[in-house]
Amino acid sequence: MANVRNPDESEGDSKKWMLQKVDMDNMEEVLIDGGGQERSSSALECQNGEKYCLDESGSGVMKRINGAQGNVPNLEKTKSGAARGLNSLRFLDRTRTGKEGDAWKPVQKRFKLHAVDGKLFRDKFGVCIGMGDSKEFAAELFDTLARRRKIYAEDGITEEELRQFWEDMTNRDLDSRLQVFFDMCDKNGDGKLSEDEVQEVILLSASTNKLSNLKQHAEEYAALIMEELDPDHQGHIEMWQLETLLRGMVGESEEGPKFQKRAQTLSRTMIPKKYRSPISKYTSKTLEFLLDNWKRVWLVTLWVSINLGLFIWKFSQYKKREAFQVMGYCLCTAKGAAETLKFNMALILIPVCRRTLTKLRSTFLSVIIPFDDNINFHKLIALAIAIGVFTHTAMHVTCDFPRLVNCSPRKFMRFLGPQFNYKQPSYGDLVESIPGLTGIIMIVMMSFSFTLATHSFRRNVIKLPWPFHHLAGFNAFWYAHHLFVIVYILLIAHGFFLFLSNHWYMKTTWMYVMVPILFYASERTLTSVHDHNHRVGVIKATIYTGNVLALYMTKPPGFKYKSGMYLFVKCPDVSSFEWHPFSITSAPGDDYLSVHIRTLGDWTKELKNRFAKVCEPPPEKPKKGCLIRMETRAEAKDEAVQARFPRIIIKGPYGAPAQNYKKYDVLLLIGLGIGATPFISIMKDLLNDIKPNESDSSLQAIKKGLERVYFYWVTREQGSFEWFKGVMNDIAEYDHGQLIDMHNYLTSMYEEGDARSALIAMVQSLQHAKNGVDVVSESRIKAHFARPNWKKVFSRLASTHPSGVFYCGSPTLANPLRLLCKEFSQNTSTRFHFHKENF
């Protein structure tokens, strides 16, 4: 073995070995260093009497001494760096913590739960040991452990036998775990792995990791492993050969534990001076919060100040009126709340004027106004409206009305007689009046709309029984919001027929809302009038695994957009009224428009089904080693095919946070599943700049705006990689300057080092080294297993770059990423600016 020094290791680390050559003769050899002198080598005794010589000079080889070729050696290795890497080969999660006894206790409990007459059967073994989601793999492991222990397990195993199995799986000794893995592959127990046995284990691993595409190539990948490890064509491979491949594969993951150790060490270092006392800590964090959120802070402060000013002004005004002598401070509070309500009912329309906000994003106002938070501001105003409605209604119903009805007739005639035509009303008269009825109807409609706008209803989280199930979902939210047309009409009527204001100029409700209503209505009308200019022809439609429909459409004249923007799509053949937002996945420089639509509801499902009827069957699979490109160019179809496609109408484009990506020198783009779509447009835009300008000078010109782009795409289905395979291949082919650093993660796979994914990792390394194609993503960019270590990602970026972080995906990950941005911005010299896509 040649001694290979890892540059990342410290001087105190032990050495790392790489197998370079094995001779299968009986002649004993000694190692000669570069100076021609003999050196003693460390001999490792094997169970069958064989010896291996390990050279530490950096140029030697390993020789077998006096050994029979057919036997399987059981190596006793030194504690090298690679051995530490192999320690990550495990069968179970969280069992190598030094507290294996604690891990065994829940297994005991599950044994008692699933055992029948004190015996645990094969089909319950996976659930018992914590492999409930890998039952097929657990069953094979059960058979292997039973063979090793020579236990007849057809009738189940006892708790003591389960304990023995557990000890084999969690044994700290590397050789023991490696032998279990080898025995699992070697089903006939002859100490050799045939090609059929390798293929069977690949199929098992692919099934366990939900890699349906990989299963179709299991025979090809088994042949690849045999070709690599059996160069003499003996028809089998031995344990030490499999170990060699494992050693090189898991050695790459050695950085993980080392990083965690470094991170823990850093977290325990000296606390910065600004955080040493409670006062300085609070002051520093407040200043950092203001620095990160100053746009939001000043805008919300201004909005709150206006609301408080209006409330105090109206409160003071009614305190001086004669009605105050009857209804007191309840009237002042109700009128103050009403004044803020009028202001917010007018303001709430502005954040949803998408076309106007899209244009304003490109002006100087984007420097001081956080246009990315328009939906959040819309929700904040809605909350203020709800508070205003509650306060206004509660003061009137529980305080003002009873005082007005129950006051003495003399007092009423003196202070309020002219306002009510000298007739004291009853409680029923007040409720049945125009202000009373309009108020009740508005409260009902607004409550209904607000309820359907909550996350549980809008995202269809709540499941309602028939016939109310249609009240949950985006359509219910969208149509319920149109009730506000009636609400605004009633609001104007409610303010016009006030009891205590007789002059028209004192009835100010219409003054507040008229301009915003006309502005919003004109934008909606203008969009509807221009629908005919945005009728697009479908150039190509492709349906991918994972229920994703890709539409390639003609670009309307004058349709200009930036990468990261989105548009609305309507299909009159599905619904004449529904518009749905989708990120644009084509680049601004492309001569077509494209969107990728995942079927998540009734409308998208029906749209996909209609296109599926006219889509041609997929082409034949490419030959071995070949790549198929589907996303990077749009191919025109003949007119007959276009006529059969459903009609598509678009409106937009509309602004989104990702469109401002060029403001940053370094980007961290994070997409979950279909959330990668806004960033694919950015990738294509960068590639369009790179492709015709492959010279170093032109590449430097491109990099003037962007130094580096890190793109992390996390998905749970292998078929998802087909959506943007062409883009990934183009990055590998054209990005010679390494402007784009793309990382694909497949969460359905077990993390690297897990025995359930070990053979897949071997195949991945061999295939990528030989053909340049990844077996998981089936592209030229290598995929990672499981989920990213986000803290590790941010730590790497924090050491070198200030970054803009753009995220699109499930809200579940948004908050942890936001907290990481805040943490690393506070604790390092790098500032991370977090942006989340909102629709």
Side-chain angles (χ1 to χ4, degrees):
M1 289 186 184
N3 175 16
V4 181
R5 184 66 178 169
N6 186 346
D8 293 332
E9 291 182 359
S10 62
E11 291 298 325
D13 283 350
S14 59
K15 294 179 173 55
K16 184 174 181 178
W17 303 96
M18 180 180 293
L19 182 65
Q20 288 188 339
K21 181 180 177 184
V22 178
D23 286 354
M24 299 298 181
D25 55 24
N26 296 324
M27 180 174 62
E28 180 171 350
E29 295 184 16
V30 294
L31 295 164
I32 308 296
D33 63 15
Q37 297 178 349
E38 291 189 4
R39 294 182 66 253
S40 62
S41 59
S42 57
L44 302 180
E45 291 290 337
C46 306
Q47 290 180 354
N48 58 4
E50 294 178 337
K51 293 182 179 180
Y52 284 77
C53 297
L54 303 180
D55 174 33
E56 301 185 36
S57 65
S59 60
V61 296
M62 182 178 76
K63 301 289 186 180
R64 183 187 296 190
I65 304 174
N66 299 327
Q69 180 177 334
N71 295 332
V72 180
N74 188 4
L75 301 181
E76 183 180 337
K77 287 163 285 299
T78 60
K79 192 68 173 179
S80 65
R84 289 195 302 275
L86 271 173
N87 278 333
S88 64
L89 179 64
R90 61 192 178 281
F91 292 93
L92 298 170
D93 295 331
R94 297 180 296 276
T95 57
R96 295 190 49 74
T97 62
K99 298 181 179 179
E100 283 75 12
D102 295 340
W104 166 248
K105 292 178 182 178
V107 178
Q108 277 184 307
K109 293 181 180 180
R110 289 193 290 266
F111 175 86
K112 295 175 182 178
L113 182 64
H114 297 287
V116 178
D117 297 329
K119 292 290 188 74
L120 182 72
F121 289 92
R122 183 176 185 265
D123 59 334
K124 296 295 183 181
F125 179 69
V127 177
C128 186
I129 65 174
M131 273 192 189
D133 55 347
S134 310
K135 292 183 179 179
E136 188 178 353
F137 186 92
E140 291 292 338
L141 182 59
F142 178 88
D143 295 338
T144 300
L145 295 171
R147 285 199 307 269
R148 285 172 55 85
R149 293 282 181 175
K150 297 180 180 180
I151 296 174
Y152 181 76
E154 292 292 332
D155 296 330
I157 58 175
T158 64
E159 183 176 343
E160 180 58 32
E161 291 169 336
L162 177 63
R163 177 71 189 217
Q164 295 175 5
F165 286 10
W166 178 263
E167 290 174 353
D168 285 345
M169 289 183 292
T170 60
N171 197 318
R172 284 182 169 272
D173 181 53
L174 165 64
D175 291 334
S176 177
R177 296 197 314 277
L178 186 61
Q179 187 68 53
V180 172
F181 182 77
F182 185 87
D183 291 343
M184 190 174 176
C185 302
D186 179 24
K187 294 193 174 181
N188 59 12
D190 62 354
K192 305 172 184 177
L193 295 185
S194 65
E195 186 171 338
D196 290 339
E197 287 176 324
V198 173
Q199 180 180 344
E200 191 172 346
V201 178
I202 290 176
L203 285 170
L204 175 63
S205 299
S207 177
T208 302
N209 290 278
K210 301 179 178 65
L211 302 177
S212 56
N213 294 353
L214 192 142
K215 292 169 68 175
Q216 302 172 11
H217 301 282
E219 182 178 356
E220 173 189 337
Y221 296 145
L224 181 65
I225 289 180
M226 298 301 294
E227 177 184 343
E228 179 72 18
L229 299 184
D230 182 27
D232 297 328
H233 305 289
Q234 297 177 0
H236 66 268
I237 58 177
E238 300 177 11
M239 178 178 168
W240 67 269
Q241 294 169 310
L242 185 67
E243 179 195 10
T244 301
L245 188 58
L246 272 171
R247 188 186 296 274
M249 179 269 298
V250 298
E252 298 173 358
S253 64
E254 182 182 354
E255 186 180 356
K258 291 178 66 178
F259 166 79
Q260 294 176 0
K261 186 176 180 180
R262 288 198 305 267
Q264 292 173 0
T265 302
L266 287 173
S267 65
R268 296 176 185 142
T269 55
M270 183 180 295
I271 300 174
K273 184 177 180 180
K274 59 183 179 180
Y275 294 142
R276 290 179 187 174
S277 69
I279 297 177
S280 61
K281 180 179 179 180
Y282 177 80
T283 304
S284 298
K285 289 198 170 186
T286 302
L287 291 175
E288 288 165 356
F289 174 81
L290 293 175
L291 182 63
D292 289 336
N293 301 277
W294 69 270
K295 291 183 184 179
R296 300 184 181 97
V297 170
W298 88 261
L299 188 64
V300 173
T301 301
L302 176 63
W303 172 72
V304 171
S305 300
I306 293 175
N307 276 276
L308 286 175
L310 290 173
F311 182 89
I312 294 172
W313 170 66
K314 188 58 66 171
F315 187 96
S316 301
Q317 189 181 77
Y318 270 83
K319 188 177 179 181
K320 300 174 183 178
R321 291 199 177 187
E322 293 180 339
F324 178 77
Q325 304 301 324
V326 176
M327 291 176 277
Y329 288 104
C330 294
L331 175 65
C332 299
T333 305
K335 291 299 182 179
E339 201 69 16
T340 64
L341 187 58
K342 290 185 282 187
F343 169 70
N344 288 317
M345 285 294 289
L347 186 63
I348 198 170
L349 296 174
I350 304 302
V352 290
C353 294
R354 293 187 180 89
R355 185 181 295 273
T356 302
L357 294 183
T358 300
K359 293 180 179 179
L360 291 177
R361 283 174 182 270
S362 302
T363 66
F364 71 95
L365 291 176
S366 62
V367 178
I368 59 174
I369 298 178
F371 290 110
D372 293 346
D373 293 315
N374 63 314
I375 299 300
N376 292 329
F377 191 47
H378 179 78
K379 294 177 181 178
L380 181 62
I381 298 172
L383 176 63
I385 289 174
I387 295 173
V389 168
F390 175 80
T391 305
H392 179 75
T393 304
M395 290 297 101
H396 275 329
V397 173
T398 63
C399 185
D400 291 338
F401 287 5
R403 288 188 177 186
L404 179 62
V405 171
N406 296 322
C407 74
S408 63
R410 181 179 178 181
K411 187 176 183 181
F412 172 82
M413 292 299 177
R414 178 184 176 186
F415 295 109
L416 296 176
Q419 308 293 339
F420 290 89
N421 295 323
Y422 299 97
K423 180 182 178 182
Q424 187 171 2
S426 65
Y427 200 98
D429 293 334
L430 295 173
V431 173
E432 294 174 358
S433 64
I434 293 179
L437 291 176
T438 54
I440 293 173
I441 297 173
M442 282 192 295
I443 290 173
V444 172
M445 287 186 173
M446 293 170 75
S447 300
F448 181 71
S449 299
F450 284 7
T451 301
L452 297 189
T454 58
H455 175 78
S456 298
F457 280 88
R458 185 183 179 188
R459 296 296 184 182
N460 212 7
V461 176
I462 188 170
K463 303 299 180 183
L464 299 176
W466 189 90
F468 302 105
H469 62 283
H470 289 300
L471 293 178
F474 180 84
N475 287 343
F477 151 77
W478 178 247
Y479 290 128
H481 258 53
H482 285 77
L483 291 175
F484 275 90
V485 175
I486 302 175
V487 169
Y488 276 102
I489 295 174
L490 294 175
L491 179 64
I492 294 174
H494 183 85
F496 189 79
F497 292 97
L498 292 177
F499 288 119
L500 303 179
S501 299
N502 296 325
H503 302 289
W504 68 269
Y505 54 85
M506 300 179 66
K507 302 175 180 181
T508 58
T509 303
W510 66 273
M511 300 179 188
Y512 275 99
V513 301
M514 190 57 64
V515 173
I517 287 176
L518 291 176
F519 186 80
Y520 179 77
S522 63
E523 181 172 281
R524 291 287 299 270
T525 303
L526 185 63
T527 301
S528 301
V529 169
H530 282 78
D531 270 358
H532 67 278
N533 292 331
H534 293 296
R535 292 183 184 275
V536 293
V538 178
I539 302 172
K540 184 175 74 171
T542 307
I543 297 176
Y544 293 105
T545 305
N547 290 324
V548 169
L549 169 66
L551 294 181
Y552 297 85
M553 304 165 288
T554 57
K555 184 188 291 187
F559 191 93
K560 296 181 180 180
Y561 63 96
K562 297 179 180 179
S563 292
M565 286 185 169
Y566 67 98
L567 51 76
F568 278 83
V569 175
K570 179 172 75 173
C571 180
D573 297 335
V574 176
S575 173
S576 300
F577 304 102
E578 294 186 39
W579 291 91
H580 293 265
F582 300 101
S583 296
I584 303 172
T585 54
S586 55
D590 294 336
D591 57 357
Y592 63 92
L593 285 175
S594 66
V595 292
H596 285 66
I597 302 171
R598 185 159 195 176
T599 55
L600 296 174
D602 296 337
W603 185 88
T604 51
K605 183 178 180 180
E606 180 62 24
L607 182 71
K608 190 205 76 170
N609 291 338
R610 287 181 178 267
F611 275 97
K613 294 177 182 178
V614 295
C615 280
E616 298 176 357
E620 295 183 0
K621 295 179 181 178
K623 296 180 180 179
K624 177 181 176 181
C626 297
L627 298 173
I628 181 169
R629 300 175 61 178
M630 302 179 70
E631 286 78 41
T632 51
R633 63 167 66 98
E635 300 176 1
K637 302 291 183 179
D638 55 64
E639 295 182 1
V641 175
Q642 286 193 21
R644 296 202 307 269
F645 279 134
R647 290 180 299 155
I648 294 295
I649 301 174
I650 65 171
K651 64 179 180 181
Y654 297 109
Q659 76 176 67
N660 297 319
Y661 72 94
K662 292 185 178 179
K663 293 182 177 180
Y664 297 94
D665 295 330
V666 178
L667 295 179
L668 174 59
L669 309 178
I670 302 172
L672 264 59
I674 199 65
T677 49
F679 310 131
I680 291 298
S681 178
I682 295 176
M683 296 297 104
K684 289 184 176 181
D685 192 22
L686 295 174
L687 287 169
N688 286 346
D689 290 336
I690 293 173
K691 285 180 183 179
N693 302 292
E694 297 188 23
S695 64
D696 293 338
S697 59
S698 59
L699 186 60
Q700 290 300 323
I702 296 170
K703 284 192 173 184
K704 283 183 178 179
L706 280 174
E707 294 180 6
R708 200 74 182 273
V709 179
Y710 299 90
F711 181 22
Y712 284 78
W713 184 20
V714 184
T715 182
R716 61 169 177 245
E717 297 175 351
Q718 185 188 13
S720 303
F721 294 122
E722 296 178 8
W723 307 343
F724 309 115
K725 186 190 299 182
V727 177
M728 292 187 286
N729 292 333
D730 282 350
I731 291 173
E733 181 176 353
Y734 295 105
D735 186 23
H736 304 304
Q738 297 182 344
L739 173 66
I740 302 170
D741 189 1
M742 185 171 184
H743 300 266
N744 298 325
Y745 282 82
L746 185 60
T747 59
S748 67
M749 293 199 64
Y750 293 94
E751 61 184 354
E752 295 177 6
D754 195 299
R756 288 167 283 188
S757 62
L759 207 61
I760 303 298
M762 295 185 215
V763 173
Q764 183 189 45
S765 298
L766 291 175
Q767 175 75 349
H768 199 272
K770 183 176 182 180
N771 298 320
V773 180
D774 182 56
V775 299
V776 178
S777 67
E778 297 182 351
S779 72
R780 296 183 184 178
I781 293 185
K782 202 171 181 180
H784 304 278
F785 301 170
R787 290 174 172 80
N789 183 334
W790 293 117
K791 197 161 189 176
K792 180 178 179 180
V793 172
F794 276 85
S795 179
R796 283 177 173 172
L797 266 67
S799 63
T800 52
H801 306 296
S803 306
V805 181
F806 294 87
Y807 170 71
C808 183
S810 170
T812 307
L813 184 58
N815 193 51
L817 290 177
R818 184 181 287 107
L819 292 176
L820 281 172
C821 289
K822 181 179 179 181
E823 175 185 344
F824 280 89
S825 294
Q826 292 176 351
N827 299 331
T828 68
S829 60
T830 302
R831 302 212 68 83
F832 291 88
H833 302 274
F834 183 76
H835 305 272
K836 181 184 178 297
E837 295 288 329
N838 295 304
F839 287 111

